[in-house]
Amino acid sequence: MSPITLLPFIVLIGAMFLMTRSAKKKQQAAAAMRNEMQPGTGVRTIGGMYATVKEIGDETVLLEVAPGVHAVYAKNAIGAVLDDAEYNRIVHGDTEEELPVVPDDASSLTASTEAAEADAEVAKDAKIDLGKKDEAEDAAAPKDGKADGGADTK
């Protein structure tokens, strides 16, 4: 056999080796992450549920899903171990710093503060009429309810 006919087989074996090697690294990283769990740590399961670790067994983990609600999960069901700041941000909505105020439109980015204050005063003074129609409009409307002037047809 010539080396050219063996080339596809060599490439295929090399690709399989690289794929199994990367999968093995991912499994080792996941196992190391699961071993870092401590009671009180926030976790996300592979199903997307966020919980707090209460107890750790050999193959299982006791999670507190809600205050007073506990569930037993397999260690392999833990998708991610979260640090405290990330867990509190996701579960409780806590933010450590104030988020910057984003303007509604780009014009406020270039306008001076005096112009913005003047625009705010004008907008505050402008009123929208949500009341009934004027009496003049009511008088102009036909009394019989036919606005288009058409005759009764049946």
Side-chain angles (χ1 to χ4, degrees), residues 1 6 8 13 21 30 41-42 83 148 153:
M1 281 193 177
L6 294 176
I13 291 172
R21 185 175 169 204
T41 305
D83 60 353
D148 61 345
T153 56

Side-chain angles (χ1 to χ4, degrees), residues 94-101:
D94 295 347
T95 56
E96 293 184 11
E97 70 234 14
E98 286 294 319
L99 299 175
V101 176

Side-chain angles (χ1 to χ4, degrees), residues 86-137:
E86 183 179 7
Y87 180 77
N88 288 332
R89 181 184 59 80
I90 292 170
V91 175
H92 304 297
D94 295 347
T95 56
E96 293 184 11
E97 70 234 14
E98 286 294 319
L99 299 175
V101 176
V102 178
D104 291 337
D105 57 358
S107 65
S108 64
L109 294 175
T110 58
S112 67
T113 57
E114 295 172 1
E117 290 173 2
D119 290 343
E121 287 295 323
V122 169
K124 189 168 81 171
D125 292 339
K127 294 183 181 179
I128 299 173
D129 184 23
L130 298 176
K132 294 184 178 181
K133 295 180 187 177
D134 291 342
E135 291 178 13
E137 291 178 15

Side-chain angles (χ1 to χ4, degrees), residues 43-99:
V43 295
R44 182 183 67 235
T45 66
I46 57 174
M49 182 182 67
Y50 292 91
T52 304
V53 176
K54 286 298 175 183
E55 293 178 14
I56 301 172
D58 291 336
E59 296 293 321
T60 60
V61 179
L62 180 66
L63 300 178
E64 184 175 31
V65 179
V69 179
H70 296 88
V72 178
Y73 277 80
K75 273 189 178 180
N76 291 340
I78 304 300
V81 177
L82 308 172
D83 60 353
D84 291 339
E86 183 179 7
Y87 180 77
N88 288 332
R89 181 184 59 80
I90 292 170
V91 175
H92 304 297
D94 295 347
T95 56
E96 293 184 11
E97 70 234 14
E98 286 294 319
L99 299 175

